[in-house]
Amino acid sequence: MAVRDDLGRPVSLPQAAQRIVTLSPHGTELVLAAGAGQRLVGVATGSRLPADLDALPRISAHGGLDREALLALQPDLVVAWQSGNRATDLDWIAATDTPLYRSEP
């Protein structure tokens, strides 16, 4: 499965993502709107979640990304905000070979 993110970069997955982490509230909203809320394993601080998902770990905020928490969650897709997340954090995620969808609303 391959798509292009909002920057036109290819994002390839061998199968539909099963463990998704979002790094912005709008990224969380996109995943929920797509009907994949049950595949979320971590979200950004400020994300509005239904009650059954409210206990998900919050792993990013204005101060940046908790890299150890991200690795511990073993995501097979990260949905990030290109201009709202730190470039160094996004570069680090890309270097881990974790598929990274960069959203730019």
Side-chain angles (χ1 to χ4, degrees):
M1 171 181 304
V3 298
R4 292 200 175 270
D5 67 12
D6 288 348
L7 300 183
R9 297 177 184 193
V11 180
S12 297
L13 301 171
Q15 62 185 19
Q18 301 300 307
R19 299 184 58 77
I20 303 170
V21 170
T22 61
L23 302 184
S24 69
H26 84 266
T28 304
E29 291 174 13
L30 290 172
V31 172
L32 292 171
Q38 295 304 319
R39 296 179 183 189
L40 286 167
V41 295
V43 296
T45 299
S47 295
R48 292 185 183 162
L49 296 167
D52 62 327
L53 299 176
D54 199 46
L56 286 174
R58 274 35 178 208
I59 64 160
S60 70
H62 299 295
L65 172 66
D66 183 338
R67 294 178 180 190
E68 289 181 14
L70 178 71
L71 289 176
L73 293 172
Q74 300 178 326
D76 54 10
L77 177 64
V78 174
V79 178
W81 181 12
Q82 176 64 26
S83 63
N85 293 119
R86 291 182 179 177
T88 54
D89 287 335
L90 299 182
D91 291 343
W92 175 83
I93 294 166
T96 69
D97 290 329
T98 301
L100 175 61
Y101 185 96
R102 297 173 191 239
S103 175
E104 190 58 41

